[in-house]
Amino acid sequence: MTSHPDVFFLPAAGGEQRLCLFHAPSSAFQGAPRGKLLYLHPFAEEMNKSRRLAALACRALAEAGHAVLQIDLRGCGDSSADFGDAGWADWQADVRLGLAELDRRVPGAPLWLWGLRAGCLLAAADWGRPVNHLFWQPMTNGKLALQQFLRLKLAAEMASGASKGLMDQMKAELAAGRPVEIAGYRLGPSLAAGLEAAKLAPAGTAGRVEWLEVSTREDATLTPVNEQAVKAWQDAGWSVQAQIVQGPGFWATSEIELAPALIARTVEALS
């Protein structure tokens, strides 16, 4: 029988709270957990699209003997503040909060930072301690991630012919310290700047990287940009295993989609 996660609010700075879900390792595993993971969700609406798959993956990892902590970052999900008030530094502070809580609940055990899409950019930093990385569909460049998000507004305005000069206008607003509205989200200048500057570059003590992507094509391979990123991690001493498995682009589909092969490969890689 699958146990339910422990749902709680973690106190944060300024009297705020962060919603967390802790998935304890299955009672079938005696002794220390195989590992402990902090899940860092993707950006904006991609978080909602992927929440179901992430929950199923957390459950599968817990059943395989891992401890998993999910945290809604500042301004996201059911955590305090509005999305437009969050900054990249706030999210980095939330990672540290999550790590401390995971340490409290699970002393010892190999530590993994598990990111999805832009969550990988947040994970890829020097946290002052050894960490391994589980990257799901990683974005290697924050500047490109920001441009993709801004283009959502362009696509919405294109039908009315109002898209001319809109990208430059949005960038000018952000540069002037003013937020912009995109696809129902208010993007603040601090978060935009932090995302734009982020890169999926190796930092800190070298460990393991499990790099997993999905594709509906059976003959899919990593893009040249991602191959170059993998090599950079390997050159920095990290042990990197990269693989593409069968599955849809669940973070961007119109309906909620699942990728069972991604979950299965994840559990296998961490076992």
Side-chain angles (χ1 to χ4, degrees):
M1 181 176 177
T2 304
S3 62
H4 295 289
D6 178 16
V7 182
F8 62 98
F9 282 99
L10 190 61
E16 294 186 356
Q17 295 178 319
R18 304 289 180 262
L19 179 72
C20 295
L21 286 79
F22 178 72
H23 305 257
S26 168
S27 58
F29 285 85
Q30 302 298 322
R34 285 181 167 178
K36 56 185 180 183
L37 297 91
L38 178 64
Y39 171 68
L40 303 177
H41 59 71
F43 199 75
E45 192 60 22
E46 291 186 0
M47 174 189 180
N48 296 324
K49 293 286 188 180
S50 56
R51 195 183 277 276
R52 174 64 177 160
L53 183 64
L56 292 173
C58 288
R59 184 182 304 171
L61 285 163
E63 288 175 352
H66 299 277
V68 188
L69 181 66
Q70 296 175 265
I71 183 169
D72 285 1
L73 301 170
R74 185 172 195 249
C76 300
D78 292 308
S79 287
S80 299
D82 294 326
F83 187 82
D85 297 326
W88 194 255
D90 296 328
W91 286 3
Q92 290 174 321
D94 287 347
V95 174
R96 295 186 183 93
L97 268 181
L99 290 174
E101 178 65 14
L102 199 51
D103 284 342
R104 188 185 72 78
R105 289 174 176 257
V106 190
L111 173 63
W112 292 80
L113 280 177
W114 166 23
L116 171 57
R117 302 275 288 158
C120 300
L121 292 168
L122 184 60
D126 184 355
W127 300 103
R129 57 188 297 180
V131 299
N132 303 303
H133 290 293
L134 171 60
F135 291 151
W136 272 15
Q137 208 71 27
M139 307 185 86
T140 59
N141 188 308
K143 186 173 184 178
L144 180 59
L146 178 62
Q147 288 176 339
Q148 288 180 0
F149 187 60
L150 295 178
R151 284 194 193 113
L152 294 177
K153 179 119 178 172
L154 291 182
E157 299 290 341
M158 201 167 288
S160 64
S163 63
K164 184 175 176 59
L166 186 56
M167 179 66 82
D168 290 340
Q169 180 184 330
M170 288 189 291
K171 288 182 177 180
E173 288 290 303
L174 290 169
R178 293 187 289 268
V180 294
E181 293 282 345
I182 300 165
Y185 290 86
R186 186 169 62 93
L187 176 65
S190 174
L191 184 55
L195 177 62
E196 186 173 32
K199 294 188 185 310
L200 196 76
T205 305
R208 289 176 58 192
V209 175
E210 293 293 336
W211 182 302
L212 297 175
E213 301 186 24
V214 294
S215 175
T216 54
R217 289 175 40 207
E218 293 186 2
D219 61 344
T221 58
L222 294 182
T223 65
V225 169
N226 285 11
E227 283 184 348
Q228 187 176 5
V230 166
K231 186 177 185 304
W233 283 79
Q234 290 172 331
D235 289 347
W238 293 73
S239 173
V240 185
Q241 297 294 324
Q243 185 177 352
I244 298 178
V245 298
Q246 193 75 12
F250 56 89
W251 59 90
T253 50
S254 55
E255 301 294 328
I256 300 300
E257 296 272 5
L258 300 179
L262 179 61
I263 295 177
R265 178 57 191 142
T266 297
V267 172
E268 181 185 350
L270 270 61
S271 295

